[in-house]
């Protein structure tokens, strides 16, 4: 069964940067639109950014211009470069295919302080 492992989270002051990484376990990664999701405390898990197998990207309005999603199909990895972080970016970040059909990983915690 496919599994994903997210890493790269941490604590950062507002205005700082973090780079998240997601490693997938199987090569079907290459054909899927991949996505990053964020779950803030007490809230639902929301879509942050996605990238198609052809490299077309899409971002939530709240992160557009600050976050960059990328993928490396040779390494089966998905990245999220997060710049100009805000307190509202705090949450657990997860990766999955866009349909959310894969099992969820443990996520990686991002905490942004003011």
């Amino acid at each position: 069964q496919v599994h994903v492992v997210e890493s790269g989270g941490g604590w950062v002051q507002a205005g700082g940067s973090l780079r998240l990484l997601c490693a997938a376990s199987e090569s079907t990664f290459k054909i899927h639109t991949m996505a990053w999701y964020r779950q803030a405390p007490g809230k639902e898990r929301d879509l942050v950014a996605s990238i198609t197998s052809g490299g077309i990207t899409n971002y939530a309005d709240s992160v557009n211009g600050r976050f960059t999603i990328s993928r490396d199909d040779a390494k089966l990895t998905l990245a999220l470069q997060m710049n100009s972080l805000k307190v509202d970016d705090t949450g657990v970040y997860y990766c999955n295919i866009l349909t959310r059909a894969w099992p969820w990983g443990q996520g990686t915690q991002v905490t942004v302080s003011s």
Side-chain angles (χ1 to χ4, degrees), residues 3-7 21-25 36 77-78 95 104-108:
H3 65 271
V4 295
V5 178
E6 301 93 346
S7 61
L21 196 66
C22 167
S25 64
W36 282 99
T77 57
L78 181 73
C95 69
W104 293 100
Q106 82 288 350
T108 187

Side-chain angles (χ1 to χ4, degrees), residues 25-84:
S25 64
E26 65 176 51
S27 60
T28 55
F29 172 96
K30 303 176 184 179
I31 68 172
H32 289 296
T33 295
M34 296 300 300
W36 282 99
Y37 298 85
R38 175 173 69 202
Q39 188 163 20
K43 297 188 177 181
E44 295 185 351
R45 196 168 298 181
D46 294 329
L47 177 65
V48 172
S50 64
I51 183 168
T52 69
S53 58
I56 297 173
T57 59
N58 194 36
Y59 298 93
D61 289 343
S62 61
V63 307
N64 197 23
R66 300 187 296 119
F67 290 12
T68 302
I69 188 172
S70 61
R71 65 190 296 159
D72 185 333
D73 288 346
K75 296 181 179 179
L76 306 183
T77 57
L78 181 73
L80 186 69
Q81 178 66 43
M82 307 188 296
N83 298 329
S84 303

Side-chain angles (χ1 to χ4, degrees), residues 6-18:
E6 301 93 346
S7 61
W11 177 89
V12 64
Q13 286 190 316
S17 298
L18 284 173

